[in-house]
């Protein structure tokens, strides 16, 4: 460009998200979890004597937004990446409750605080965005090859008529990108949620659903840490 040879790079930040030539989010998640952990370390040093309410507010205001910025797009599917993010919240739960006893269950402490897992929150965010796209509340269109020509032929009492085609993916990267990963979950949602009259009502219902005992029905498959990216 203008006589200067441009250097190639495998990954580079753009609008706060680390884009990679391999189309995976490993570098971005490493950056996000590292930044969130450094913020948590700062809060632990300075707010350890504060009431639990203050520590909770600090976490939800300063750390969780870092862990969730643009997460509807880069929602990870490798277990190692999911664990990397959840590890920060688990440490934050210890900090908020002041309970560092080894025999204490972090899962129970998290439930007492009313915190869903970050994976559950990302799923709720993805589905809420899809609801807005479906109802043309945002300037994003669903690709035409996902839209069925006729009413879905498979319909049970637990499904709905607002279903989309499921496209077979040949790679894990494409399979776990936004539309291919979200549409199968959307198709499985109860009609009472899909037909919500507003995005806020949908968001409330979907948060309750993914935080419930039924959440595993909607989480989808997770690739183990040792699996290949290809």
């Amino acid at each position: 460009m203008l006589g200067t040879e441009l250097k190639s790079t495998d990954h580079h930040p753009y609008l706060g998200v680390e884009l990679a030539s391999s189309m995976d989010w490993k570098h971005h998640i490493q950056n996000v979890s590292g930044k969130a952990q450094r913020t948590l370390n700062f809060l632990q040093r300075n707010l350890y004597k504060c009431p639990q309410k203050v520590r909770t507010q600090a976490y939800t205001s300063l750390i969780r937004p870092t862990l969730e910025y643009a997460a509807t797009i880069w929602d990870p599917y490798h277990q190692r990446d999911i664990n990397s993010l959840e590890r920060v919240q688990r440490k934050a739960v210890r900090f908020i409750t002041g309970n560092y006893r080894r025999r204490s269950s972090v899962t129970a402490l998290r439930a007492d605080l009313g915190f869903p897992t970050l994976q559950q929150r990302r799923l709720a965010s993805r589905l809420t965005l899809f609801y807005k796209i479906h109802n043309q509340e945002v300037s994003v269109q669903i690709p035409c090859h996902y839209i069925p020509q006729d009413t879905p032929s498979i319909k049970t009492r637990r499904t709905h008529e607002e279903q989309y085609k499921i496209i077979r993916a040949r790679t894990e990267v494409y399979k776990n990108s936004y539309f291919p990963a979200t549409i199968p979950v959307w198709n499985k949602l109860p009609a009472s949620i899909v037909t919500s009259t507003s995005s806020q009502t949908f968001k409330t219902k979907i948060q309750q659903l993914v935080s419930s005992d039924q959440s595993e029905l909607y989480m989808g498959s997770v690739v183990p840490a040792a699996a290949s990216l290809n």
Side-chain angles (χ1 to χ4, degrees):
M1 180 178 292
L2 299 178
T4 303
E5 182 178 353
L6 301 180
K7 296 181 179 179
S8 62
T9 181
D10 293 332
H11 54 91
H12 189 78
Y14 180 72
L15 298 178
V17 178
E18 191 84 11
L19 302 179
S21 59
S22 59
M23 300 300 293
D24 71 80
W25 302 105
K26 178 178 64 176
H27 295 288
H28 178 73
I29 291 171
Q30 288 175 348
N31 292 341
V32 165
S33 57
K35 181 179 179 180
Q37 183 59 59
R38 290 191 294 273
T39 303
L40 177 58
N41 293 342
F42 175 82
L43 297 180
Q44 287 176 319
R45 292 193 301 269
N46 292 277
L47 300 183
Y48 64 96
K49 291 185 178 180
C50 291
Q52 180 173 307
K53 182 179 180 180
V54 174
R55 285 177 281 175
T56 301
Q57 185 66 43
Y59 168 69
T60 56
S61 301
L62 301 175
I63 298 177
R64 197 157 67 185
T66 299
L67 294 169
E68 295 183 334
Y69 174 73
T72 52
I73 302 303
W74 55 260
D75 187 7
Y77 57 94
H78 284 91
Q79 192 64 61
R80 62 163 185 259
D81 297 330
I82 295 171
N83 292 344
S84 176
L85 298 167
E86 295 292 348
R87 193 176 299 116
V88 179
Q89 175 163 268
R90 291 174 68 85
K91 291 180 179 179
V93 166
R94 294 282 194 189
F95 160 65
I96 292 170
T97 60
N99 188 336
Y100 292 92
R101 294 190 295 272
R102 294 183 63 183
R103 294 189 178 183
S104 298
S105 169
V106 180
T107 301
L109 295 175
R110 176 178 56 75
D112 290 341
L113 290 172
F115 289 175
T117 66
L118 296 175
Q119 186 180 18
Q120 289 171 329
R121 286 177 57 85
R122 289 192 300 271
L123 176 60
S125 295
R126 280 199 291 115
L127 289 168
T128 301
L129 176 60
F130 193 88
Y131 173 90
K132 294 179 180 179
I133 296 173
H134 173 73
N135 289 282
Q136 300 180 348
E137 295 182 13
V138 294
S139 300
V140 177
Q141 292 185 342
I142 298 175
C144 59
H145 52 273
Y146 288 110
I147 301 175
Q149 298 297 321
D150 302 306
T151 301
S153 57
I154 301 176
K155 185 175 184 298
T156 69
R157 292 175 61 187
R158 297 189 61 184
T159 60
H160 53 85
E161 295 182 351
E162 305 298 327
Q163 297 182 19
Y164 290 85
K165 285 183 180 179
I166 297 176
I167 305 299
R168 175 176 291 185
R170 291 182 296 177
T171 66
E172 287 291 337
V173 171
Y174 179 61
K175 177 183 177 182
N176 291 281
S177 59
Y178 180 74
F179 283 113
T182 306
I183 285 176
V185 185
W186 169 269
N187 288 349
K188 290 191 295 183
L189 292 178
S192 59
I193 295 180
V194 170
T195 57
S196 297
T197 56
S198 69
S199 57
Q200 186 58 50
T201 301
F202 178 89
K203 182 178 180 180
T204 300
K205 290 181 178 180
I206 207 66
Q207 287 176 338
Q208 293 173 348
L209 179 66
V210 302
S211 300
S212 69
D213 294 337
Q214 303 180 58
S215 62
E216 292 300 322
L217 298 174
Y218 302 94
M219 298 307 289
S221 59
V222 174
V223 178
S228 170
L229 289 173
N230 297 321

